[in-house]
Amino acid sequence: GVIVDQQNDQLKLRGKNGVIVQIDGKQTFLSQQELMTLLRNTPSDNIEKIELITNPSSKYDAAGNSGIINIKMKKNKNYGSNGNINLSGGYAQQPRGSASVSLNNRAGKVSSFFNAGTFYSEGFNNNEIYRIIPFENKTTIFDQRTERINKSKYHNLRVGVDYFLTDKTTIGVLASGFYNNWNNPFGETNTRILNQDLSLQRTFKTEVLNGNKMKNGSINLNLKHQFDDKGKELTFDVDYVGYNGRGKGSLNTRYAKPDGSADGAPEIVRTNMPSNIDIAVAKLDYTAPLGKGKFETGLKSSYVTSNNTMVYETFQDVWTIDNSRSNQFKYLENVNAGYLNYSGSLSKKIKIQLGLRAEHTHSIGNSITLNTKKDRNYINLFPSVFLTNQLDTNNVLNFSYSRRIDRPNYQLLNPFEFYLDPYTFQKGNPNLKPQYTNSFQLTHIFKNIINTSFGYSLTKDLISDELPQQIASENKTFVSAYNLDQQNAFNLTLSAPIRIQKWWNIQVNATGIYNHTKSIYLDAPLSLKQYSWNGYANSQFTLKKGWSAEISGYYNSKALYGLYQTKAMYALNAGVQKSLFNKKATIRVNVNDIFWTNRFRGHALYEDINFRVKSEWPSRQVRVSLAYN
């Protein structure tokens, strides 16, 4: 049920956004875009397993309405030194490549690891937008095509040391960081402005150049103490994460009359956006046996501050700051939480887990230039219930319920405006409220192999982050995030492995989704009903003499994405690998999206909003990689 939305750099689980990603049980504290970059550059050889927690207990943060993805990295516990090197090169109409090294060492009471990687890619993003804008008995049509080329250099480092004080006490230090340099050396939007009868009114060309440099550093101190062999345990974690970024951009727009002659002076603007983010987190967890079950409790406190400045300048003989668009935005968020959790047995066949989490949130969003401040202070309770019934030796039935919250992040709250061209932009919404979700799930497991799951969730104040609006009098269209009243979401998921032959295994997953969103939007009733489904199949072949192969594919049916009715998206992938040197090395060749079918097509039609969007990017990739252990 996991969908990777590469167009919008998002992860979805069972048709819903709001996925929390952890690595070795620790939250990454990365923005969605930086997280996707990290995952793209993480060799699969370094991953032991991936856990999907679709309805987390009260031990976990209440954030993440669709659940948690926990990526567990391999850790060699043997004494001595070992490691692996990965080299990868690929082509997707532009070149890309990566290299990484992972080392482990254990001697005496000290265990340490070192991971480092570098990634380089060139890509593109092409968009076509066709807008019909009515205003005062007059209709204007915008026919646009945008072409962009992007380049990215990404370097990351992860170092950790565990020291075993005794057989029952371990202290550890984990440090990590990355440097990402992304730039858009070429971007061009060509637009035809048409009258209602499709006659040409005007044209314009906008040249867009963007760039962003982001540095990140984090450190984690942890302690784990086992009091006895019966499960009595104490863990303590302290985290600090810091970001430092600087974004720059420029737009140069030149207008022309239908005959091609210049129409007025060009519009030239540039932006400068420095940003700083600091995150501090402390967490204490205690586990002990209680009766015939287990008792868990813990405390957590997190403190986040961000400071973002947007300097917007226009050029008319000299550069002049545009105070109407420049701004400084500061955001502070403090969340303090505590939880209680008990798991035990009601009978030989029925197990139960009950939990309650309390979170106090204090956030302040301060738009200094606009002189507006949003100060929120609230306390919430988040109960959870889990029941497991072992019906017989082959059948297990699980039921779970939890209440969750998703707070708007500072990127969505930030009121800055980001322009594609003078008539198309994106901006934040400082008035966003948190959304609350009540989730229910019923799962049937047959022979520990076939999983069938039915889920229902009710979300109030749903945060929808890609809703369009228009300023019809100025022919402008923009997207922003808004709270919609509520969403009812249903999903049915089937997951099963199929063994055709000893050398041929297939894994099949299928998810059916129905979402119904109701609200008042643009002063009119909004009712969005979505029936959709997605399927994934992976066929693995174990061949002779160290050869193996894989064919996989997915299909996402047409669906609603905000107000956009999107068309189906699908792709077919294939790969082959060969083990070398007594399985110490592996060489792989794979092709993603062989027929280049993974493209976005959408149409939004609501009130005075009427436009179509097409988008494509280099999803078809050929890659060769070498791993040596």
Side-chain angles (χ1 to χ4, degrees):
V2 177
I3 296 175
V4 181
D5 180 356
Q6 298 194 58
Q7 165 66 1
N8 301 288
D9 272 340
Q10 289 186 348
L11 291 173
K12 294 182 180 181
L13 183 56
R14 302 192 177 186
K16 295 192 297 181
N17 295 325
V19 182
I20 299 295
V21 175
Q22 297 181 344
I23 296 179
D24 288 333
K26 302 183 188 301
Q27 192 168 334
T28 54
F29 300 111
L30 299 176
S31 71
Q32 194 73 18
Q33 186 178 18
E34 299 296 348
L35 172 65
M36 297 289 275
T37 303
L38 174 66
L39 296 181
R40 288 189 183 107
N41 195 37
T42 299
S44 57
D45 283 345
N46 295 347
I47 296 173
E48 180 183 351
K49 60 182 176 180
I50 298 174
E51 298 175 336
L52 304 182
I53 309 171
T54 53
N55 221 356
S57 71
S58 60
K59 181 177 181 178
Y60 297 93
D61 288 347
N65 85 93
S66 63
I68 295 172
I69 297 177
N70 183 32
I71 301 172
K72 288 200 165 186
M73 309 301 288
K74 289 180 181 177
K75 288 185 178 179
N76 196 314
K77 298 179 181 179
N78 296 326
Y79 284 90
S81 300
N82 60 84
N84 64 64
I85 298 171
N86 285 269
L87 301 174
S88 176
Y91 187 77
Q93 294 186 310
Q94 281 94 14
R96 55 186 58 204
S98 66
S100 68
V101 59
S102 177
L103 302 172
N104 297 274
N105 180 73
R106 184 170 180 182
K109 294 187 174 183
V110 179
S111 177
S112 58
F113 71 89
F114 170 88
N115 295 331
T118 184
F119 174 76
Y120 173 81
S121 75
E122 297 182 20
F124 66 88
N125 194 298
N126 297 333
N127 294 283
E128 294 180 18
I129 305 176
Y130 191 86
R131 289 180 282 176
I132 301 174
I133 305 174
F135 181 70
E136 294 183 348
N137 299 319
K138 177 184 175 183
T139 299
T140 304
I141 299 172
F142 277 66
D143 185 7
Q144 298 180 275
R145 177 171 175 82
T146 300
E147 297 180 359
R148 289 186 175 186
I149 292 176
N150 56 70
K151 295 183 179 181
S152 180
K153 297 178 182 178
Y154 180 84
H155 315 285
N156 69 290
L157 179 69
R158 199 162 178 260
V159 182
V161 177
D162 289 327
Y163 181 71
F164 302 92
L165 288 172
T166 67
D167 292 340
K168 296 180 178 180
T169 304
T170 305
I171 58 174
V173 179
L174 171 65
S176 63
F178 69 78
Y179 172 75
N180 188 19
N181 183 1
W182 178 92
N183 68 83
N184 165 211
F186 171 81
E188 185 176 277
T189 299
N190 287 282
T191 304
R192 296 189 307 148
I193 304 178
L194 309 174
N195 296 308
Q196 190 167 353
D197 61 359
L198 300 184
S199 61
L200 185 60
Q201 182 186 124
R202 195 185 195 194
T203 66
F204 69 85
K205 176 188 288 188
T206 299
E207 296 177 354
V208 182
L209 301 178
N210 290 312
N212 184 57
K213 295 181 180 180
M214 175 70 75
K215 292 184 291 185
N216 159 268
S218 67
I219 188 165
N220 166 267
L221 304 176
N222 57 82
L223 167 71
K224 181 177 180 179
H225 177 69
Q226 295 174 299
F227 294 92
D228 51 37
D229 297 327
K230 298 179 181 179
K232 192 175 181 181
E233 183 179 280
L234 180 74
T235 61
F236 179 66
D237 282 84
V238 178
D239 289 270
Y240 169 76
V241 184
Y243 295 89
N244 180 269
R246 180 172 292 276
K248 292 185 177 183
S250 67
L251 284 84
N252 185 339
T253 303
R254 299 178 185 274
Y255 298 90
K257 297 176 182 178
D259 62 5
S261 60
D263 187 5
E267 294 181 12
I268 303 174
V269 302
R270 69 183 183 187
T271 58
N272 184 14
M273 183 180 166
S275 62
N276 291 282
I277 308 166
D278 293 285
I279 303 170
V281 182
K283 185 165 70 82
L284 179 70
D285 295 287
Y286 174 74
T287 302
L290 181 62
K292 295 183 179 181
K294 182 174 70 172
F295 171 75
E296 296 174 294
T297 187
L299 298 170
K300 182 178 180 180
S301 181
S302 64
Y303 192 84
V304 180
T305 61
S306 72
N307 186 359
N308 298 268
T309 302
M310 169 68 86
V311 179
Y312 198 102
E313 297 177 286
T314 60
F315 184 79
Q316 291 177 344
D317 297 328
V318 294
W319 286 106
T320 305
I321 294 178
D322 185 345
N323 291 316
S324 66
R325 300 185 192 182
S326 299
N327 195 6
Q328 184 180 9
F329 182 71
K330 291 186 176 183
Y331 182 70
L332 179 151
E333 182 181 88
N334 177 220
V335 180
N336 297 305
Y339 74 91
L340 300 170
N341 214 42
Y342 177 77
S343 56
S345 300
L346 296 179
S347 66
K348 290 184 178 180
K349 293 187 175 182
I350 299 177
K351 296 179 181 179
I352 188 171
Q353 183 182 141
L354 302 173
L356 180 65
R357 187 179 185 90
E359 292 191 352
H360 168 253
T361 305
H362 183 207
S363 66
I364 301 174
N366 186 6
S367 182
I368 295 174
T369 309
L370 301 177
N371 195 27
T372 59
K373 181 185 290 188
K374 287 290 180 181
D375 191 329
R376 291 195 171 100
N377 202 328
Y378 50 93
I379 297 176
N380 295 116
L381 296 177
F382 301 97
S384 61
V385 178
F386 299 83
L387 287 170
T388 299
N389 189 352
Q390 183 80 44
L391 302 176
D392 53 41
T393 55
N394 292 328
N395 296 278
V396 177
L397 201 61
N398 294 327
F399 169 80
S400 61
Y401 160 77
S402 68
R403 183 173 186 255
R404 312 199 64 74
I405 184 175
D406 283 282
R407 303 172 183 88
N409 59 44
Y410 80 92
Q411 292 103 328
L412 295 179
L413 294 167
N414 193 331
F416 296 173
E417 297 178 354
F418 302 90
Y419 282 80
L420 179 68
D421 60 64
Y423 295 91
T424 316
F425 62 95
Q426 180 179 12
K427 70 175 185 177
N429 180 3
N431 297 313
L432 280 178
K433 299 180 291 184
Q435 69 177 28
Y436 295 91
T437 303
N438 287 282
S439 294
F440 303 82
Q441 187 170 302
L442 184 66
T443 302
H444 175 257
I445 305 171
F446 178 69
K447 288 188 175 181
N448 274 337
I449 297 175
I450 300 175
N451 283 259
T452 307
S453 177
F454 174 76
Y456 165 73
S457 65
L458 172 62
T459 302
K460 294 293 183 74
D461 292 324
L462 174 73
I463 298 174
S464 186
D465 58 359
E466 286 288 340
L467 289 180
Q469 281 197 23
Q470 288 185 161
I471 307 173
S473 60
E474 302 176 19
N475 290 328
K476 291 183 178 181
T477 301
F478 66 92
V479 295
S480 189
Y482 297 92
N483 288 108
L484 302 180
D485 290 344
Q486 69 173 48
Q487 182 187 73
N488 288 277
F490 301 84
N491 64 76
L492 179 65
T493 301
L494 173 66
S495 175
I498 303 171
R499 187 165 188 173
I500 307 297
Q501 296 288 339
K502 185 178 180 180
W503 50 272
W504 182 8
N505 291 289
I506 299 176
Q507 176 71 38
V508 177
N509 297 276
T511 301
I513 299 164
Y514 171 72
N515 291 338
H516 184 197
T517 304
K518 295 186 294 184
S519 187
I520 299 295
Y521 182 62
L522 301 181
D523 299 321
L526 174 68
S527 180
L528 301 174
K529 296 181 180 180
Q530 170 191 339
Y531 295 92
S532 62
W533 70 276
N534 64 74
Y536 173 80
N538 180 296
S539 190
Q540 297 179 340
F541 307 91
T542 303
L543 308 175
K544 295 180 179 180
K545 297 182 179 180
W547 286 92
S548 59
E550 180 177 287
I551 298 175
S552 66
Y554 79 90
Y555 181 91
N556 294 336
S557 73
K558 66 178 183 179
L560 279 174
Y561 181 76
L563 292 182
Y564 303 99
Q565 177 70 60
T566 66
K567 293 187 177 181
M569 299 173 67
Y570 48 93
L572 181 69
N573 317 304
V576 62
Q577 78 172 24
K578 175 73 167 70
S579 295
L580 305 169
F581 310 133
N582 242 358
K583 296 184 178 181
K584 286 186 176 181
T586 304
I587 186 169
R588 295 189 182 95
V589 180
N590 61 57
V591 184
N592 288 334
D593 193 9
I594 297 172
F595 301 105
W596 199 14
T597 51
N598 188 20
R599 304 182 184 189
F600 180 85
R601 304 287 185 273
H603 184 197
L605 184 61
Y606 178 74
E607 294 298 301
D608 66 340
I609 296 171
N610 183 358
F611 63 90
R612 297 192 300 270
V613 179
K614 296 181 181 180
S615 186
E616 60 185 20
W617 57 95
S619 59
R620 179 166 59 184
Q621 303 174 14
V622 180
R623 186 164 52 212
V624 179
S625 59
L626 173 68
Y628 179 74
N629 298 315

